[in-house]
Amino acid sequence: VQLQASGGGLVQAGGSLRLSCAASGSIISIGDMGWYRQAPGKERELVASITSGGSTNYVGSVKDRFTISRDNAKNTMYLQMNSLKPEDTAFYYCNADLTYYSAYDVVYDRDRWGQGTQVTVSS
């Protein structure tokens, strides 16, 4: 079972990017999901989160610019980032609460991390 983040890149200030986080493997269900970011020399912070029912939460600095969503049929979460600013530059990680099959067991992994993707916003 993996969480694979993609969609990062280099963009000019004011531009947009869409990040994706896909869960693959013998997934039974996915609970809460979230996007985190970490800039050099800074603590990792929660950017946005979404529950299995679709309720969302955002850090203040990205409200009205970023939109988190999920497609439960595809086991995928998205982060649409608009009006990007240089201060959004960071490594973005996805996180999810996963329940999946492993051999003959059911595994409850409440804190699975994806490998991350770099977002760089130039001024």
Side-chain angles (χ1 to χ4, degrees):
V1 172
Q2 288 188 333
L3 280 180
Q4 182 78 29
S6 61
L10 173 63
V11 64
Q12 288 188 329
S16 298
L17 284 174
R18 189 193 195 206
L19 305 184
S20 298
C21 175
S24 61
S26 302
I27 302 292
I28 299 172
S29 65
I30 303 177
D32 295 351
M33 303 181 80
W35 287 100
Y36 291 73
R37 67 185 179 187
Q38 187 167 20
K42 294 188 176 182
E43 297 284 326
R44 186 178 296 190
E45 67 170 347
L46 175 64
V47 176
S49 63
I50 185 166
T51 67
S52 57
S55 295
T56 60
N57 190 43
Y58 299 91
V59 68
S61 61
V62 308
K63 282 182 180 178
D64 300 324
R65 298 190 298 123
F66 291 10
T67 302
I68 189 171
S69 61
R70 62 192 287 170
D71 183 334
N72 291 330
K74 295 182 178 179
N75 291 334
T76 301
M77 171 180 64
Y78 305 98
L79 186 68
Q80 178 66 44
M81 305 186 294
N82 298 328
S83 303
L84 281 160
K85 303 176 180 180
E87 51 264 43
D88 295 318
T89 295
F91 211 73
Y92 283 70
Y93 299 88
C94 57
N95 179 275
D97 174 349
L98 302 179
T99 302
Y100 59 89
Y101 294 110
S102 177
Y104 301 104
D105 290 330
V106 174
V107 178
Y108 302 91
D109 188 343
R110 297 293 174 249
D111 195 27
R112 174 62 67 94
W113 290 92
Q115 90 289 359
T117 185
Q118 176 69 40
V119 172
T120 303
V121 185
S122 63
S123 57

